[in-house]
Amino acid sequence: MEKLGVIMDLQPLSSTEYIILEEIMCQQFLVVLICLFMASHGHSLRRRCRNRREIRYCMSVRVPKIISHLHSIINNNDSICIDKLRMDRNAFHTLVILTKDIGGLTDSKSMSSSEKLAMFLNILAHHEKNRSIKVDYIRSEWSVSQAFNECLSAILKLTPLLLVDPKPVLEDEVEDRLKWFKGCLGALDGTYIQIRVSSQYKPRYMTRKGEIATNVLGVCDRNLNFTYVLPGWKGSDADGHVLRDAVTRRNGLKIHEGNYYLCDGGYTNGKGFLSPYRGYRYWLKDWRGDNPLPQCKEELFNMRHARARNVIEMTFGLLKGRWGILRSSSWYSVKVHNRIISACCLIHNFIRREMEVDPLDIDMKEQMEYQHENIDVVESSQEWTTWRDELAQSMWNARSNN
C-alpha cells in the first residue's frame, strides 16, 4: 500500500497546477535578476565614487602647480617673462586686457585668459609642440590646442589697432639716413618662411634655393613697425606679382599720391615705389671695408637708398629672431600658418609700442648698420625715373660741394 501511494504521488500535474508552478518559478527568476542588477549597480556606483575621489585628489594636486607655474612666468620678474613670452609683465597684462575686451578671448571653466595667452606666446616664441606645452602647463593636449586657436583668432581681431599708420618723411628731416627721401613712408620687401605642404604642392612652394616656403610681403615704417603684411603666396611666385596683388586687392596696400616706399631692385621703379639703379653696387656690404666710395651719382644714390631701405631688413630680422615658429617649418596647415605669420607681425608691433626697452632690438642694432587719391597700379613710370635721376644728381652735387 505504501508503494502504491508513492506511485500515485508521481502522477502528472494537472494543467492548473502546472501554470501555478510556472508562475512561481518566473517570480523567483525575476527576484534573482533584480538582485544581480542591484549588486552590479552598487558596484558601479562604488567605483564611480572612488574615481571621483581620485579626480578630486588629482585636481587638488594639479591646480596649485598650474597656478605656481603661471605665476612664475607672468608675475615674478621681467627677465623670465621676456625669455618665455617675448614681452615684459606690463605688456603681457595689457595684451590680456586687449584680447579680452576687443579680441573676444574669454576665461573658460578651468583655464584663465592669462594662461591661454601665455601658452600661445610660448608656442610662438620657442616653436614648442603641444605635447611639450601640456607637460609644462600641466594641461591636456586638447586644451592646449583649443587655447592656441582661441588666442590666434583674438589676436587677428586686433589688426586695426596694432597695424601702424605710416607717416611720411618731412621736409625738415635731420636724420642723415632719411633726409634725402622726402615723402617716404618706409620700405617693403619679401621674405621666405618655411612651411610644410603635401608632395603634390611642393613644386609650387619651392624657392630658387630649393626650400619649401611661402613668400611674405612685409611693409614697415622708419621705426621698424609693420604697416602692411601679405602672407600666403607660394615660394615660386615673383616679388613683383605679390606686390601687384597687394596694391590691387580691395583691402590691400594703399599709398597716397606723392608718397612712396623704398624697395630693392626686384620691384619696378614707378608710382609709389622707388627702386635703386640696376647694374651698380647696391648692398651695404659693397661699401664696407676697403671697398671704394661711390664713384658716380648712381652708386651714391644706391648707397643711401640701401641704408634707408635697411629698416625692412632689420624688421624681418627682429620678427624672426623674436618668434621661433617662423624660423622653421611647422605642422600647421598652410592656412593656419599664414594666420600665425600675421599674428606674429601684430604682436611685434604691440611689443615695440608697449616696451620702452626691447633687448632683442638692442642686439639687432649691434649686429646691423644702419585727402588724396590712392595708387592702385604697379607699372614702370618715366616720371618717377626722371625724378630719381634728379634726386641722384642733387645727392652727387651736394657731396661734391662738401
Side-chain angles (χ1 to χ4, degrees):
M1 294 297 292
E2 293 178 358
K3 293 182 179 180
L4 181 59
V6 173
I7 293 174
M8 291 178 63
D9 292 339
L10 295 177
Q11 288 181 355
L13 298 174
S14 64
S15 58
T16 303
E17 294 174 338
Y18 183 81
I19 293 174
I20 295 173
L21 181 61
E22 185 178 7
E23 289 179 355
I24 294 173
M25 295 181 64
C26 289
Q27 290 176 359
Q28 292 178 347
F29 182 71
L30 288 174
V31 171
V32 172
L33 286 179
I34 292 172
C35 292
L36 290 175
F37 172 77
M38 293 181 66
S40 175
H41 184 64
H43 176 72
S44 177
L45 289 176
R46 288 192 298 273
R47 185 170 60 181
R48 190 177 302 174
C49 292
R50 185 169 59 252
N51 292 339
R52 287 178 179 175
R53 288 195 298 271
E54 292 175 356
I55 292 173
R56 286 196 297 268
Y57 173 77
C58 181
M59 289 303 297
S60 65
V61 174
R62 287 173 57 191
V63 169
K65 292 183 178 179
I66 292 173
I67 296 176
S68 175
H69 179 264
L70 183 63
H71 179 79
S72 66
I73 295 176
I74 66 175
N75 290 326
N76 274 358
N77 59 72
D78 286 334
S79 298
I80 296 177
C81 193
I82 292 174
D83 178 63
K84 292 289 185 180
L85 311 181
R86 297 300 188 250
M87 62 183 70
D88 58 26
R89 293 171 294 173
N90 290 333
F92 175 78
H93 291 297
T94 302
L95 186 59
V96 172
I97 295 173
L98 289 178
T99 52
K100 293 176 69 174
D101 294 345
I102 302 176
L105 187 64
T106 58
D107 298 330
S108 61
K109 184 177 180 180
S110 59
M111 188 182 300
S112 65
S113 299
S114 298
E115 186 178 358
K116 293 179 181 179
L117 192 59
M119 289 192 293
F120 175 74
L121 295 175
N122 204 335
I123 292 174
L124 296 186
H126 303 282
H127 197 183
E128 293 279 3
K129 302 295 187 296
N130 287 0
R131 58 178 176 268
S132 300
I133 294 295
K134 77 172 185 178
V135 174
D136 295 338
Y137 288 82
I138 321 176
R139 294 291 185 179
S140 68
E141 194 166 343
W142 182 89
S143 299
V144 174
S145 178
Q146 187 73 10
F148 182 89
N149 292 325
E150 291 179 10
C151 291
L152 181 59
S153 298
I155 292 295
L156 293 178
K157 291 179 182 178
L158 303 179
T159 299
L161 179 65
L162 297 182
L163 275 186
V164 175
D165 186 20
K167 294 179 174 54
V169 177
L170 302 178
E171 291 289 338
D172 57 352
E173 178 62 46
V174 295
E175 186 178 352
D176 183 66
R177 186 180 59 175
L178 296 170
K179 67 180 182 179
W180 293 101
F181 301 99
K182 306 297 190 288
C184 177
L185 298 172
L188 62 87
D189 200 1
T191 186
Y192 292 119
I193 295 180
Q194 298 180 12
I195 58 173
R196 294 182 188 271
V197 295
S198 57
S199 300
Q200 58 180 335
Y201 297 118
K202 284 185 177 181
R204 301 180 185 179
Y205 285 89
M206 187 173 295
T207 66
R208 294 187 300 272
K209 297 182 179 181
E211 297 178 344
I212 306 302
T214 179
N215 191 351
V216 180
L217 174 67
V219 186
C220 73
D221 64 2
R222 59 190 295 180
N223 297 318
L224 312 183
N225 293 308
F226 284 101
T227 62
Y228 181 79
V229 180
L230 179 61
W233 278 79
K234 303 175 183 63
S236 60
D237 294 319
D239 291 343
H241 295 166
V242 180
L243 181 58
R244 186 174 292 107
D245 175 71
V247 298
T248 55
R249 61 172 51 204
R250 181 178 180 182
N251 297 319
L253 178 63
K254 303 302 179 184
I255 311 173
H256 297 302
E257 196 73 37
N259 299 132
Y260 58 92
Y261 283 101
L262 301 177
C263 56
D264 64 17
Y267 301 93
T268 303
N269 180 68
K271 270 188 168 184
F273 306 100
L274 185 61
S275 62
Y277 288 96
R278 296 191 179 186
Y280 297 89
R281 290 183 294 165
Y282 177 71
W283 304 108
L284 291 180
K285 64 181 180 180
D286 296 333
W287 316 103
R288 295 196 182 112
D290 297 332
N291 293 324
L293 295 174
Q295 303 297 310
C296 59
K297 66 176 184 179
E298 289 82 6
E299 287 192 349
L300 179 62
F301 176 85
N302 281 5
M303 181 185 70
R304 290 179 175 172
H305 184 284
R307 286 178 177 173
R309 196 196 66 87
N310 196 42
V311 292
I312 187 62
E313 304 291 347
M314 296 180 65
T315 304
F316 280 141
L318 283 173
L319 182 71
K320 294 183 178 180
R322 196 186 308 278
W323 308 117
I325 199 169
L326 302 182
R327 296 196 296 268
S328 59
S329 56
S330 68
W331 292 102
Y332 294 100
S333 65
V334 175
K335 181 178 179 180
V336 174
H337 199 81
N338 291 332
R339 288 163 57 87
I340 291 173
I341 294 172
S342 298
C344 289
C345 295
L346 294 175
I347 305 175
H348 166 88
N349 284 3
F350 172 80
I351 292 174
R352 294 193 59 79
R353 185 184 74 181
E354 295 296 328
M355 290 181 58
E356 296 182 0
V357 179
D358 184 2
L360 188 62
D361 190 10
I362 297 175
D363 295 340
M364 183 63 64
K365 289 181 178 179
E366 291 178 352
Q367 296 175 9
M368 302 183 66
E369 179 187 297
Y370 310 19
Q371 220 159 70
H372 300 284
E373 293 181 357
N374 288 325
I375 299 168
D376 56 2
V377 295
V378 180
E379 56 185 10
S380 180
S381 172
Q382 184 60 39
E383 178 185 357
W384 275 70
T385 301
T386 302
W387 177 75
R388 182 182 63 179
D389 293 339
E390 294 174 354
L391 180 59
Q393 186 63 49
S394 63
M395 289 181 182
W396 183 258
N397 292 340
R399 179 177 180 239
S400 300
N401 294 333
N402 291 334

mmCIF file of all heavy atoms in Angstrom, residues 96-115:
data_model
loop_
_atom_site.group_PDB
_atom_site.id
_atom_site.type_symbol
_atom_site.label_atom_id
_atom_site.label_comp_id
_atom_site.label_asym_id
_atom_site.label_seq_id
_atom_site.Cartn_x
_atom_site.Cartn_y
_atom_site.Cartn_z
ATOM 1 N N VAL A 96 46.587 90.926 -22.470
ATOM 2 C CA VAL A 96 45.464 90.128 -21.975
ATOM 3 C C VAL A 96 44.178 90.953 -21.969
ATOM 4 O O VAL A 96 43.111 90.491 -22.393
ATOM 5 C CB VAL A 96 45.762 89.590 -20.553
ATOM 6 C CG1 VAL A 96 44.519 88.939 -19.958
ATOM 7 C CG2 VAL A 96 46.903 88.581 -20.589
ATOM 8 N N ILE A 97 44.280 92.192 -21.516
ATOM 9 C CA ILE A 97 43.098 93.061 -21.484
ATOM 10 C C ILE A 97 42.577 93.325 -22.892
ATOM 11 O O ILE A 97 41.372 93.293 -23.147
ATOM 12 C CB ILE A 97 43.442 94.377 -20.762
ATOM 13 C CG1 ILE A 97 43.770 94.108 -19.289
ATOM 14 C CG2 ILE A 97 42.294 95.381 -20.878
ATOM 15 C CD1 ILE A 97 44.275 95.326 -18.542
ATOM 16 N N LEU A 98 43.491 93.580 -23.841
ATOM 17 C CA LEU A 98 43.073 93.858 -25.218
ATOM 18 C C LEU A 98 42.404 92.646 -25.850
ATOM 19 O O LEU A 98 41.376 92.772 -26.539
ATOM 20 C CB LEU A 98 44.283 94.284 -26.051
ATOM 21 C CG LEU A 98 44.873 95.660 -25.753
ATOM 22 C CD1 LEU A 98 46.095 95.906 -26.619
ATOM 23 C CD2 LEU A 98 43.841 96.756 -25.977
ATOM 24 N N THR A 99 42.983 91.474 -25.643
ATOM 25 C CA THR A 99 42.396 90.273 -26.239
ATOM 26 C C THR A 99 41.035 89.939 -25.639
ATOM 27 O O THR A 99 40.184 89.354 -26.318
ATOM 28 C CB THR A 99 43.339 89.074 -26.069
ATOM 29 O OG1 THR A 99 43.725 88.944 -24.688
ATOM 30 C CG2 THR A 99 44.589 89.243 -26.913
ATOM 31 N N LYS A 100 40.823 90.326 -24.395
ATOM 32 C CA LYS A 100 39.524 90.068 -23.768
ATOM 33 C C LYS A 100 38.488 91.108 -24.183
ATOM 34 O O LYS A 100 37.354 90.769 -24.517
ATOM 35 C CB LYS A 100 39.669 90.039 -22.245
ATOM 36 C CG LYS A 100 40.487 88.868 -21.720
ATOM 37 C CD LYS A 100 40.680 88.927 -20.223
ATOM 38 C CE LYS A 100 39.397 88.685 -19.473
ATOM 39 N NZ LYS A 100 39.600 88.599 -18.017
ATOM 40 N N ASP A 101 38.888 92.384 -24.181
ATOM 41 C CA ASP A 101 37.926 93.453 -24.469
ATOM 42 C C ASP A 101 37.623 93.588 -25.952
ATOM 43 O O ASP A 101 36.484 93.868 -26.340
ATOM 44 C CB ASP A 101 38.460 94.787 -23.938
ATOM 45 C CG ASP A 101 38.555 94.804 -22.421
ATOM 46 O OD1 ASP A 101 37.946 93.907 -21.792
ATOM 47 O OD2 ASP A 101 39.232 95.686 -21.877
ATOM 48 N N ILE A 102 38.632 93.402 -26.808
ATOM 49 C CA ILE A 102 38.456 93.597 -28.248
ATOM 50 C C ILE A 102 38.480 92.275 -29.011
ATOM 51 O O ILE A 102 37.684 92.061 -29.920
ATOM 52 C CB ILE A 102 39.543 94.546 -28.795
ATOM 53 C CG1 ILE A 102 39.491 95.891 -28.065
ATOM 54 C CG2 ILE A 102 39.384 94.749 -30.300
ATOM 55 C CD1 ILE A 102 40.578 96.854 -28.479
ATOM 56 N N GLY A 103 39.398 91.391 -28.640
ATOM 57 C CA GLY A 103 39.544 90.127 -29.359
ATOM 58 C C GLY A 103 38.518 89.074 -29.003
ATOM 59 O O GLY A 103 38.392 88.076 -29.706
ATOM 60 N N GLY A 104 37.814 89.251 -27.898
ATOM 61 C CA GLY A 104 36.793 88.286 -27.509
ATOM 62 C C GLY A 104 37.306 87.063 -26.787
ATOM 63 O O GLY A 104 36.578 86.067 -26.653
ATOM 64 N N LEU A 105 38.537 87.087 -26.297
ATOM 65 C CA LEU A 105 39.073 85.960 -25.544
ATOM 66 C C LEU A 105 38.393 85.894 -24.179
ATOM 67 O O LEU A 105 38.267 86.917 -23.494
ATOM 68 C CB LEU A 105 40.581 86.102 -25.382
ATOM 69 C CG LEU A 105 41.334 84.928 -24.749
ATOM 70 C CD1 LEU A 105 41.226 83.689 -25.626
ATOM 71 C CD2 LEU A 105 42.798 85.284 -24.527
ATOM 72 N N THR A 106 37.970 84.699 -23.775
ATOM 73 C CA THR A 106 37.220 84.546 -22.519
ATOM 74 C C THR A 106 37.891 83.521 -21.612
ATOM 75 O O THR A 106 38.646 82.656 -22.066
ATOM 76 C CB THR A 106 35.772 84.096 -22.798
ATOM 77 O OG1 THR A 106 35.804 82.850 -23.531
ATOM 78 C CG2 THR A 106 35.034 85.131 -23.619
ATOM 79 N N ASP A 107 37.590 83.636 -20.330
ATOM 80 C CA ASP A 107 38.025 82.632 -19.358
ATOM 81 C C ASP A 107 37.109 81.415 -19.466
ATOM 82 O O ASP A 107 35.885 81.559 -19.495
ATOM 83 C CB ASP A 107 37.963 83.192 -17.940
ATOM 84 C CG ASP A 107 38.893 84.376 -17.753
ATOM 85 O OD1 ASP A 107 39.925 84.415 -18.434
ATOM 86 O OD2 ASP A 107 38.574 85.262 -16.941
ATOM 87 N N SER A 108 37.702 80.239 -19.503
ATOM 88 C CA SER A 108 36.907 79.014 -19.507
ATOM 89 C C SER A 108 36.713 78.541 -18.068
ATOM 90 O O SER A 108 37.183 79.169 -17.122
ATOM 91 C CB SER A 108 37.576 77.936 -20.355
ATOM 92 O OG SER A 108 38.847 77.612 -19.832
ATOM 93 N N LYS A 109 36.040 77.412 -17.918
ATOM 94 C CA LYS A 109 35.721 76.914 -16.578
ATOM 95 C C LYS A 109 36.976 76.570 -15.795
ATOM 96 O O LYS A 109 37.036 76.777 -14.578
ATOM 97 C CB LYS A 109 34.823 75.684 -16.702
ATOM 98 C CG LYS A 109 34.338 75.138 -15.369
ATOM 99 C CD LYS A 109 33.401 73.967 -15.563
ATOM 100 C CE LYS A 109 32.913 73.419 -14.229
ATOM 101 N NZ LYS A 109 31.993 72.278 -14.408
ATOM 102 N N SER A 110 37.987 76.048 -16.489
ATOM 103 C CA SER A 110 39.176 75.580 -15.784
ATOM 104 C C SER A 110 40.455 76.270 -16.238
ATOM 105 O O SER A 110 41.543 75.877 -15.819
ATOM 106 C CB SER A 110 39.343 74.066 -15.981
ATOM 107 O OG SER A 110 39.464 73.756 -17.371
ATOM 108 N N MET A 111 40.365 77.313 -17.109
ATOM 109 C CA MET A 111 41.565 77.958 -17.612
ATOM 110 C C MET A 111 41.299 79.446 -17.806
ATOM 111 O O MET A 111 40.301 79.834 -18.415
ATOM 112 C CB MET A 111 42.003 77.326 -18.939
ATOM 113 C CG MET A 111 43.359 77.807 -19.438
ATOM 114 S SD MET A 111 43.825 77.079 -21.040
ATOM 115 C CE MET A 111 43.819 75.330 -20.644
ATOM 116 N N SER A 112 42.202 80.266 -17.307
ATOM 117 C CA SER A 112 42.044 81.718 -17.424
ATOM 118 C C SER A 112 42.582 82.202 -18.766
ATOM 119 O O SER A 112 43.351 81.514 -19.443
ATOM 120 C CB SER A 112 42.794 82.421 -16.289
ATOM 121 O OG SER A 112 44.187 82.193 -16.417
ATOM 122 N N SER A 113 42.209 83.415 -19.131
ATOM 123 C CA SER A 113 42.709 84.019 -20.369
ATOM 124 C C SER A 113 44.213 84.234 -20.307
ATOM 125 O O SER A 113 44.910 84.100 -21.321
ATOM 126 C CB SER A 113 41.997 85.349 -20.630
ATOM 127 O OG SER A 113 40.612 85.173 -20.785
ATOM 128 N N SER A 114 44.721 84.551 -19.139
ATOM 129 C CA SER A 114 46.165 84.755 -18.985
ATOM 130 C C SER A 114 46.933 83.479 -19.290
ATOM 131 O O SER A 114 47.975 83.511 -19.963
ATOM 132 C CB SER A 114 46.480 85.229 -17.563
ATOM 133 O OG SER A 114 45.859 86.463 -17.293
ATOM 134 N N GLU A 115 46.429 82.349 -18.814
ATOM 135 C CA GLU A 115 47.109 81.082 -19.075
ATOM 136 C C GLU A 115 47.020 80.718 -20.559
ATOM 137 O O GLU A 115 47.996 80.222 -21.138
ATOM 138 C CB GLU A 115 46.501 79.969 -18.226
ATOM 139 C CG GLU A 115 47.250 78.654 -18.344
ATOM 140 C CD GLU A 115 46.665 77.571 -17.460
ATOM 141 O OE1 GLU A 115 45.694 77.858 -16.725
ATOM 142 O OE2 GLU A 115 47.173 76.432 -17.506
#
